[in-house]
Amino acid sequence: MSEEVMVSVKNLTKSFGDLLVLDDISFDVKKHEFLCIVGPTGCGKTTFLNSLTKLYDIDRGAITLGGQPIDPKKQNIAYIFQEYSTMEWLTVEENISYGLRIKHVDKQTARQRVDHVMNIVGLSKYANYYPRQLSASMLQRVVIARAFAVEPELLLMDEPYGQLDLQLKYHLEDELINLWQTTGTTVIFITHNIEEAVYLSDRILVLTNKPTKIKQSLTNDLPRPRKVSAPDFIKLRNEVTDLIKWW
Amino acid sequence: MKIKLKEMGNSLFFSLIGIAAILILWTLGVKFTSVGLLLPTPLEVLQRMAYTFSNAIGRELTLPMHLAVSLRRVVIGFSLASVCGVVLGIAMGRFRMVEAVCKPLFELVRPIPSVAWIPLAIVWFGIGETAKTFIIFMAGFVNIVVNTYAGAKQVDENMLGVAYMLGANEIQAFFHVVIPSCVPYIFAGMQVGLSTCWMAVLAAEMVSSTEGIGWTITAGQENGDMTQIFVGIIAIAVVGLLLAVLMRWAERVLCRWRVRGK
Amino acid sequence: MSETRKTVIECKHVSKTFYSMAGDNLVVSDLNFNVYENEFVVLFGPGQCGKSTILNLISGLESPTGGEIVVSGEKVSGPSPKRGMVYQTTNLFMWYTVMQNVEFGPKMQGVPKKIRRERAQKYIDLVGLNGFENQFPVKLSGGMQQRVGIARAYANEPELICMDEPFGHLDAQTRYLMEEEVERISNTARRTVVFVTNNAEEAIYLADRIILLHNCPTSVHKEYTVDLPRPRDYTSPEFLALREQITADMDNTL
């Protein structure tokens, strides 16, 4: 991992009327870092994400990506949310190459990249299927492949595996790690699931309840592939749980 | 919160500007162009309106009394339409037999505009109250049936299952699940129905009547009294608006369970 | 437990086929298992493998195409208030308040108002919704709606409660909370519970016994008796070892 800073958030503050949601948040994300953000249920994580994507105007502070003020229209940022927002009228392959066509990537390169990501997530056999013909897990793979195909500078993920069953989640998480390691993308991954955060991240940012601040930043240098029953893993998981536990 | 109030203030301000602009244009047009031959000024209309509040239009009824006559007709026709429409709508939505028998007939009746019933109503019922009630009824009935039927069709079968699992019988499930989940649809139908009833009463009165707000307009036309026509039109608009507001308020009270937030 | 414990559910060679124009779909095939009185049984299996269908068969909303299901000595032939159900999506009567929802069952069966109010209040208190009796469900969060669903099922005092992935739509933290709540509730008001989930953590945390199901068509693959002391620790070595074993076995069912 390089020391180059990819995303820099400084004094991010946002309130809705009298309700202060984000309270002076500052942190950096290094290039090719996998950052997980966890917080208690109902912390301002949606507001936080919408501020990053410029959906909301922020009251104060600055967010930069690669030194420039963040702007999804100009910069190469990809999102993966909980809803599998595929385009129903396009095949799997067309869905995945859609972002590349919009960005006028030449056909040869596009072809290669699409094949590469489809291969990693195991969609090669389903290239000509339509979204309706696929299961939820397959759709989730399409969405992930589409995000990685554009080789984004920054990938934002908001609890993409929330509703999937555990087993499938493991498979998809492993695929995600695989893609992340081969592409060198910087990832910000927001989740409620502490075990997932420990499994995926290089670093965990723990948020407080509203008004949201950063409670702690924990480096996670457990060796990969990780094992959920390893003593170190459990130790870190319990540490994060103790920071968040409200239930 | 502050921002919202400010926004509301702003849009109110612009709405008022819109209304004021029309009134000014109207006044200027009447004063300075040949439009004046066809139109009274807003002020004249307002003065006449105030005058007819206590003085009769036609033989003996004042403006509020004419409105009351029309409203009474609407209330009768609309109530009948609501009762019959809800019953038929739910029956069509819940019972296959009723649906099979009534739906084709209903689909035939549905596109007929309510004014088309006027000649028939006069032949069948004469020019008395019954004919008017019938026309108003037909106007409201169609909308209420259409919406109630859609509501009864979409009742969540799972929710019926829930009720059965908790020990409800068919009749209980009907009253505790089917009816409440239709209520928002019934209301939508009644809202549209009430405004079409209000339109229909005017149409009915313009054809055959000796009183009512619709008649004041026809009378105005026969006497070449522009101002009276305008008084009638504005009264109709205001009352129509009030009826719509009333329905919306009733919905908010009766469908409290759908309101999120505080 | 002794051999003489009372059997509440007997599933005998149960199968279910859905017939349609597009073709017949065998969802459950030769399913056999028993559930005993006051036992907390978790039906666990991957994806869409007909787990909900099994609950619908037990509750009587659907009938098996082969075999039979006997609950407390009676063959299931239709829905009955003796068998309560908690659903994945909350399925509350949105037009009734929390209290009206919870007292619905007793009310339908003609329990006098005073008695059923008391009973409903008892279960509202038990699920921790004291103070929300007169709220409409839209104003409650997902977790709280699910609590109302649980109170509603318990207020009917059924001999058997089926829960169909009740926390599937909740976030991970709220789910932990609800699992602890279910644990507490079923300790206070002991009932026979059949709980369906696809989450191994949830299964191990709650179950006396886990029945791992085969994927379509569904049948019993393996059973585990969970005798870890309660309340269980999600990160204890025994817990994680069992979880690993069950997820590994689950891979074989696909």
Side-chain angles (χ1 to χ4, degrees):
Chain A
M1 199 197 310
S2 71
E3 290 304 304
E4 188 188 336
V5 170
M6 193 67 194
V7 181
S8 168
V9 175
K10 286 208 170 62
N11 310 109
L12 174 58
T13 304
K14 169 82 192 167
S15 44
F16 291 103
D18 297 337
L19 180 70
L20 180 63
V21 181
L22 303 179
D23 184 10
D24 199 31
I25 295 179
S26 300
F27 67 92
D28 288 342
V29 189
K30 296 194 197 79
K31 190 165 189 186
H32 191 43
E33 189 174 25
F34 200 123
L35 178 73
C36 277
I37 297 179
V38 291
T41 304
C43 77
K45 83 180 177 76
T46 312
T47 310
F48 179 72
L49 199 80
N50 288 343
S51 304
L52 279 187
T53 59
K54 299 273 274 183
L55 215 62
Y56 293 154
D57 289 332
I58 54 179
D59 299 345
R60 201 155 59 74
I63 309 169
T64 58
L65 171 62
Q68 303 293 316
I70 200 164
D71 186 352
K73 285 190 203 99
K74 290 189 201 138
Q75 289 158 323
N76 200 352
I77 306 173
Y79 314 95
I80 299 178
F81 299 136
Q82 218 170 60
E83 302 80 36
Y84 315 127
S85 51
T86 52
M87 284 170 263
E88 301 253 328
W89 55 93
L90 299 179
T91 65
V92 167
E93 193 181 348
E94 287 163 346
N95 261 294
I96 295 172
S97 61
Y98 184 78
L100 296 170
R101 269 195 288 147
I102 286 189
K103 292 197 154 75
H104 303 293
V105 175
D106 72 90
K107 277 212 175 117
Q108 181 96 39
T109 323
R111 183 81 251 161
Q112 272 174 5
R113 279 204 220 162
V114 171
D115 284 346
H116 175 67
V117 292
M118 283 207 300
N119 197 17
I120 290 184
V121 298
L123 278 172
S124 304
K125 275 191 289 182
Y126 300 93
N128 295 318
Y129 281 55
Y130 283 94
R132 270 174 189 278
Q133 297 166 287
L134 301 178
S135 65
S137 63
M138 281 299 173
L139 287 178
Q140 185 60 338
R141 288 189 164 101
V142 175
V143 174
I144 290 173
R146 182 177 63 191
F148 274 99
V150 296
E151 297 188 347
E153 290 173 84
L154 174 64
L155 176 59
L156 289 172
M157 302 179 81
D158 181 13
E159 194 123 11
Y161 305 135
Q163 314 291 351
L164 300 175
D165 64 56
L166 223 54
Q167 190 61 6
L168 201 60
K169 216 162 95 171
Y170 290 148
H171 289 311
L172 290 171
E173 284 170 357
D174 288 342
E175 280 166 13
L176 174 64
I177 290 294
N178 196 349
L179 275 168
W180 165 69
Q181 284 172 333
T182 57
T183 53
T185 299
T186 308
V187 182
I188 297 180
F189 189 106
I190 298 181
T191 180
H192 277 114
N193 190 323
I194 295 156
E195 188 181 50
E196 185 173 43
V198 176
Y199 190 77
L200 294 171
S201 66
D202 289 332
R203 191 154 60 92
I204 301 173
L205 219 52
V206 181
L207 301 181
T208 64
N209 228 322
K210 274 178 204 156
T212 309
K213 292 191 191 81
I214 293 176
K215 193 167 200 178
Q216 200 158 337
S217 166
L218 296 152
T219 313
N220 177 2
D221 48 15
L222 298 172
R224 299 176 195 268
R226 290 172 181 162
K227 209 170 170 332
V228 294
S229 55
D232 288 353
F233 190 102
I234 294 169
K235 191 164 154 273
L236 185 56
R237 177 178 167 185
N238 284 335
E239 200 178 321
V240 179
T241 307
D242 289 340
L243 285 171
I244 292 176
K245 183 148 182 168
W246 54 272
W247 59 92
Chain B
M1 222 36 229
K2 275 176 203 156
I3 299 168
K4 275 222 169 123
L5 267 176
K6 202 176 154 196
E7 275 171 12
M8 271 167 62
N10 268 343
S11 63
L12 186 67
F13 175 69
F14 284 113
S15 308
L16 288 177
I17 284 191
I19 293 172
I22 290 288
L23 289 178
I24 289 166
L25 272 177
W26 180 358
T27 313
L28 292 176
V30 172
K31 292 256 157 128
F32 299 111
T33 67
S34 54
V35 176
L37 298 172
L38 299 171
L39 287 181
T41 63
L43 194 65
E44 282 169 358
V45 174
L46 214 64
Q47 280 167 343
R48 175 71 76 84
M49 204 172 241
Y51 175 78
T52 50
F53 251 78
S54 44
N55 295 284
I57 303 174
R59 252 169 295 161
E60 53 199 15
L61 298 181
T62 60
L63 180 66
M65 287 154 95
H66 279 293
L67 280 171
V69 168
S70 299
L71 274 174
R72 194 176 142 263
R73 289 170 179 156
V74 168
V75 167
I76 294 171
F78 176 68
S79 305
L80 280 173
S82 298
V83 172
C84 298
V86 168
V87 169
L88 181 66
I90 288 181
M92 270 167 61
R94 300 306 305 170
F95 304 106
R96 286 264 171 79
M97 266 306 263
V98 183
E99 187 180 15
V101 172
C102 296
K103 198 167 177 226
L105 292 174
F106 180 72
E107 289 295 331
L108 274 177
V109 173
R110 184 177 157 180
I112 303 172
S114 51
V115 281
W117 296 105
I118 293 175
L120 205 59
I122 293 171
V123 174
W124 282 351
F125 305 112
I127 53 167
E129 286 302 306
T130 321
K132 292 180 189 72
T133 308
F134 174 74
I135 293 160
I136 295 163
F137 172 87
M138 287 313 291
F141 178 70
V142 173
N143 285 304
I144 294 166
V145 172
V146 169
N147 280 282
T148 310
Y149 170 65
K153 269 283 177 195
Q154 62 73 50
V155 173
D156 188 349
E157 295 301 322
N158 288 327
M159 290 313 297
L160 285 171
V162 173
Y164 294 140
M165 295 277 318
L166 288 168
N169 57 32
E170 299 254 345
I171 296 166
Q172 287 172 320
F174 184 82
F175 283 104
H176 291 280
V177 178
V178 176
I179 300 284
S181 43
C182 288
V183 165
Y185 289 80
I186 294 175
F187 253 94
M190 281 171 67
Q191 264 172 15
V192 184
L194 185 57
S195 55
T196 49
C197 281
W198 183 237
M199 292 180 215
V201 72
L202 300 166
E205 285 173 354
M206 283 163 83
V207 174
S208 63
S209 185
T210 52
E211 64 210 351
I213 192 71
W215 171 83
T216 64
I217 295 178
T218 329
Q221 178 211 337
E222 276 161 12
N223 303 334
D225 186 348
M226 264 310 141
T227 317
Q228 187 174 320
I229 295 180
F230 268 92
V231 167
I233 288 175
I234 288 170
I236 288 164
V238 170
V239 172
L241 186 69
L242 288 179
L243 287 177
V245 169
L246 189 74
M247 282 301 285
R248 239 171 280 156
W249 173 79
E251 182 184 17
R252 213 165 323 136
V253 172
L254 280 169
C255 298
R256 248 178 325 147
W257 52 272
R258 301 177 81 207
V259 184
R260 284 168 196 280
K262 286 182 190 162
Chain C
M1 279 184 220
S2 68
E3 279 304 306
T4 54
R5 58 192 176 162
K6 195 179 149 210
T7 312
V8 178
I9 306 175
E10 286 174 81
C11 269
K12 297 187 232 169
H13 306 290
V14 171
S15 64
K16 174 74 181 174
T17 309
F18 288 105
Y19 301 101
S20 76
M21 297 296 237
D24 300 344
N25 189 7
L26 180 65
V27 178
V28 177
S29 161
D30 196 29
L31 183 74
N32 292 290
F33 68 86
N34 286 356
V35 176
Y36 302 99
E37 192 173 19
N38 290 345
E39 196 183 20
F40 199 115
V41 169
V42 170
L43 299 180
F44 174 70
Q48 277 73 44
C49 78
K51 290 176 298 214
S52 303
T53 309
I54 297 175
L55 288 194
N56 283 341
L57 293 172
I58 294 172
S59 65
L61 287 174
E62 278 165 28
S63 44
T65 42
E68 62 172 3
I69 298 175
V70 178
V71 174
S72 301
E74 259 174 72
K75 194 180 162 189
V76 174
S77 58
S80 149
K82 288 180 191 163
R83 301 183 291 274
M85 187 90 151
V86 180
Y87 303 83
Q88 178 168 24
T89 49
T90 51
N91 272 353
L92 297 179
F93 302 114
M94 303 309 276
W95 44 89
Y96 288 148
T97 61
V98 169
M99 172 56 88
Q100 287 168 328
N101 265 283
V102 176
E103 67 169 0
F104 187 87
K107 186 178 173 185
M108 292 303 105
Q109 289 159 71
V111 176
K113 186 162 183 176
K114 192 160 170 289
I115 299 175
R116 72 172 191 251
R117 276 282 151 102
E118 268 170 26
R119 206 202 284 176
Q121 190 63 52
K122 177 179 144 195
Y123 289 103
I124 289 174
D125 293 348
L126 183 63
V127 298
L129 282 178
N130 200 323
F132 291 93
E133 291 84 354
N134 298 318
Q135 295 278 10
F136 286 102
V138 267
K139 300 211 175 142
L140 305 181
S141 68
M144 281 159 86
Q145 290 193 10
Q146 221 30 287
R147 286 164 192 260
V148 181
I150 292 169
R152 185 175 66 181
Y154 274 83
N156 228 1
E157 309 209 318
E159 40 190 64
L160 166 69
I161 293 180
C162 301
M163 302 199 192
D164 186 6
E165 294 193 41
F167 313 135
H169 287 312
L170 303 180
D171 71 79
Q173 294 165 20
T174 311
R175 224 189 44 228
Y176 284 142
L177 173 69
M178 292 307 292
E179 285 162 18
E180 282 172 20
E181 289 289 287
V182 166
E183 164 96 10
R184 187 177 57 76
I185 292 163
S186 57
N187 268 338
T188 322
R190 202 71 197 159
R191 288 277 183 291
T192 311
V193 179
V194 180
F195 190 104
V196 160
T197 182
N198 59 23
N199 185 314
E201 257 191 338
E202 190 165 277
I204 299 166
Y205 186 80
L206 292 172
D208 293 325
R209 192 153 55 96
I210 298 173
I211 298 177
L212 175 60
L213 298 168
H214 248 298
N215 206 5
C216 285
T218 299
S219 60
V220 176
H221 182 73
K222 206 169 169 182
E223 283 191 22
Y224 311 81
T225 307
V226 188
D227 44 19
L228 301 174
R230 291 173 190 267
R232 291 166 183 161
D233 174 6
Y234 292 102
T235 52
S236 75
E238 298 82 14
F239 192 105
L240 288 167
L242 183 56
R243 194 179 118 188
E244 222 159 280
Q245 191 199 337
I246 289 179
T247 25
D249 289 344
M250 185 165 133
D251 265 350
N252 298 328
T253 67
L254 289 167

